[in-house]
Amino acid sequence: MKRLRLANNTRLFFQVFISLAGVIGIAQSKDFLVLDTISKTPIDLVQVFYPDLELGSISNKDGNLRLPLKAAKLIASHINYNEKAFAFDDFKDKDTLFLTPKRNTLNEVVIYSLDLKAKLAAIYNSNHLQAYAIKKVTHNCTYKETLKINDSLTRLFQVQLDWFSKNSFFRRDVAIDKQNIIHLNTVDFSKIKTINKAVLDSSGGYVENSGFFTYLHLNFLLGRLVNTAKDYSVEAIEENDNSVNVYFSAIQTENGKEAFKYKNSLVVFNKDYTSIKSLKLDMLYSEGFKQAFSRLQKKPYKIKMRRHLVNLSFNTLSTNKYAIGYFTFQIQATIKTKAYQDNVTATQSLFVNESKLGVKIKKGNVDFFKPFFKNIPNRLHTSDVKILLTKSEKSFLKD
């Protein structure tokens, strides 16, 4: 199959510097389960983070995460839950962390008086100088990639890498591979299941690194929302102790025409609307099937974009600056030939485990214009897995 170059086919735009004073390191890791206080259900994408150490991890869909055990304050945060701080004595002997859902405290009158686009523009035009960490930094990260065909997992790829970024800004006048350097360190898991179909195969469904690393810059996303999105509608506002959740819809345009609609999207502001802590963009497409051609199989097929999901979230450092915590990028599409019709879900995620200020990678070993799973050096393996697999992913590896 033509490697599902979804970004091209549809024009989609698909922490250690540690101060050790007063901090005792404990040379072991601990597994936690993160649950909703009310429903007792697992919570996905919870950032559990030592702000003084710029070190942390993220929960998976089963609510599980692994974290180095340190005698330091721990912060757990999630876009839909109240942030919670844990003293070392509160979590050193516990395996479960509980978070409380946020509650809506604003009334309907306030909801419709907010000029969301003006709030976004004010942050975008401030150039992030006040609220965000913009010094040169190398992030130790876990990169994870999955491909599902008709809800069946066909590719699972997870690696440890170092990502150097000159600062948190995306610059349109500099090539993306000059702004970022990536060094692939080890491979946690890698499995590609063979699929025998006329067009679709498991080596498709990815966004090249050039597109992926463009989208994880907040100013790039804000630029689109401010400059080419219109018809904003604020659906709800939730005000909490230290943040404001704004749910909205809007229309994204390209060349003056509607490209897609933002639905059930969310911006998490700080209390005074001067910075963004999290951004969730849910983009829905109404276009029909478009003709395409598989260069691999040499056969025509049709593709229909259905949905594009982007999540970008930040941790709060001890300096009160924000630094990237994780980024997820998902495409949902339908592929059709004369014989088959398949729903495809391709997901790529980057989780920041640790940040090292003042550390620079001189040279990377990842080609920005190939998918990660085609950048694997021989005999790379790790036993120090930092982002845990779900039960279904473990089952896939055993099959």
Side-chain angles (χ1 to χ4, degrees):
M1 168 191 169
K2 177 182 180 181
R3 295 173 300 178
L4 255 185
R5 293 178 182 256
L6 298 177
N8 293 334
N9 286 338
T10 63
R11 296 182 181 179
L12 283 176
F13 316 94
F14 257 85
Q15 192 185 17
V16 166
F17 176 65
I18 300 177
S19 175
L20 294 174
V23 177
I24 302 173
I26 298 178
Q28 67 183 82
S29 293
K30 185 177 180 64
D31 290 357
F32 290 96
L33 173 63
V34 188
L35 298 178
D36 185 298
T37 302
I38 299 172
S39 67
K40 304 300 187 293
T41 55
I43 312 173
D44 185 22
L45 293 178
V46 177
Q47 298 178 89
V48 183
F49 182 73
Y50 296 103
D52 293 334
L53 307 180
E54 298 192 24
L55 175 68
S57 188
I58 316 288
S59 67
N60 62 20
K61 289 186 177 180
D62 293 336
N64 296 314
L65 65 89
R66 177 170 294 160
L67 190 69
L69 196 57
K70 301 286 184 178
K73 181 179 71 174
L74 197 62
I75 300 290
S77 63
H78 187 279
I79 197 168
N80 294 323
Y81 289 80
N82 291 319
E83 186 173 284
K84 188 172 182 179
F86 298 86
F88 179 65
D89 288 341
D90 293 334
F91 66 84
K92 66 177 181 179
D93 297 322
K94 295 181 180 179
D95 298 322
T96 305
L97 306 176
F98 290 96
L99 294 183
T100 304
K102 293 177 178 178
R103 287 289 181 254
N104 190 347
T105 60
L106 294 190
N107 60 41
E108 203 167 334
V109 174
V110 177
I111 290 177
Y112 293 99
S113 66
L114 179 70
D115 188 341
L116 177 58
K117 190 169 185 177
K119 297 293 186 184
L120 296 173
I123 295 172
Y124 177 64
N125 294 326
S126 74
N127 226 18
H128 307 3
L129 291 176
Q130 299 301 316
Y132 295 85
I134 58 170
K135 295 181 179 180
K136 295 179 180 180
V137 62
T138 291
H139 303 284
N140 173 255
C141 307
T142 298
Y143 171 86
K144 183 176 181 179
E145 181 177 307
T146 61
L147 175 66
K148 290 184 177 181
I149 301 175
N150 299 324
D151 293 324
S152 178
L153 193 59
T154 62
R155 186 173 73 239
L156 171 60
F157 179 69
Q158 181 171 302
V159 302
Q160 302 297 315
L161 57 86
D162 288 327
W163 162 42
F164 169 77
S165 176
K166 289 185 177 180
N167 55 53
S168 62
F169 300 112
F170 172 75
R171 293 184 55 184
R172 295 183 180 275
D173 60 335
V174 179
I176 191 67
D177 57 337
K178 303 300 181 183
Q179 300 182 56
N180 302 272
I181 301 174
I182 309 171
H183 190 275
L184 186 61
N185 295 324
T186 55
V187 178
D188 296 345
F189 314 101
S190 180
K191 181 178 179 180
I192 299 177
K193 183 179 179 181
T194 301
I195 298 173
N196 297 315
K197 285 198 173 182
V199 172
L200 194 61
D201 68 25
S202 54
S203 65
Y206 67 87
V207 179
E208 290 177 344
N209 297 325
S210 54
F212 180 81
F213 277 85
T214 296
Y215 255 84
L216 61 71
H217 291 84
L218 177 61
N219 69 316
F220 176 82
L221 297 173
L222 285 180
R224 290 172 56 78
L225 288 168
V226 170
N227 296 323
T228 55
K230 66 179 185 178
D231 298 342
Y232 278 80
S233 175
V234 175
E235 311 295 345
I237 297 178
E238 295 173 345
E239 187 178 58
N240 304 282
D241 290 341
N242 54 13
S243 63
V244 181
N245 290 12
V246 180
Y247 297 86
F248 74 96
S249 60
I251 295 175
Q252 180 67 54
T253 64
E254 291 180 12
N255 299 319
K257 297 181 180 180
E258 179 182 324
F260 53 80
K261 291 182 172 67
Y262 295 102
K263 291 287 187 179
N264 303 311
S265 294
L266 170 63
V267 185
V268 180
F269 293 95
N270 64 342
K271 288 287 286 186
D272 58 4
Y273 291 93
T274 58
S275 60
I276 293 171
K277 303 176 70 174
S278 296
L279 188 65
K280 178 182 179 181
L281 302 178
D282 191 345
M283 295 157 267
L284 301 180
Y285 294 79
S286 57
E287 63 187 16
F289 283 93
K290 292 186 176 181
Q291 195 68 43
F293 189 81
S294 170
R295 286 180 293 179
L296 180 62
Q297 299 290 345
K298 307 299 182 184
K299 294 181 180 181
Y301 69 98
K302 294 182 178 180
I303 181 171
K304 178 181 180 180
M305 290 303 306
R306 295 182 287 113
R307 194 181 188 192
H308 179 199
L309 283 162
V310 165
N311 286 272
L312 177 62
S313 189
F314 297 88
N315 287 312
T316 306
L317 307 180
S318 58
T319 60
N320 290 323
K321 298 281 188 179
Y322 295 130
I324 186 171
Y326 69 82
F327 172 71
T328 67
F329 188 106
Q330 183 181 99
I331 289 291
Q332 299 174 12
T334 300
I335 300 292
K336 183 166 68 174
T337 68
K338 290 183 178 180
Y340 304 101
Q341 180 166 312
D342 299 287
N343 292 323
V344 180
T345 302
T347 306
Q348 295 172 250
S349 306
L350 189 73
F351 308 102
V352 176
N353 305 312
E354 187 175 7
S355 293
K356 306 170 185 177
L357 287 172
V359 177
K360 180 180 179 179
I361 303 173
K362 294 183 178 180
K363 187 176 181 180
N365 61 358
V366 170
D367 186 335
F368 261 83
F369 304 100
K370 291 182 180 180
F372 266 106
F373 67 86
K374 293 195 173 183
N375 277 280
I376 305 177
N378 293 328
R379 297 181 298 277
L380 271 184
H381 182 69
T382 182
S383 58
D384 183 23
V385 176
K386 297 177 181 179
I387 299 295
L388 302 179
L389 295 182
T390 64
K391 292 179 182 179
S392 62
E393 291 166 346
K394 291 177 181 178
S395 177
F396 170 72
L397 291 177
K398 291 179 181 178
D399 287 344

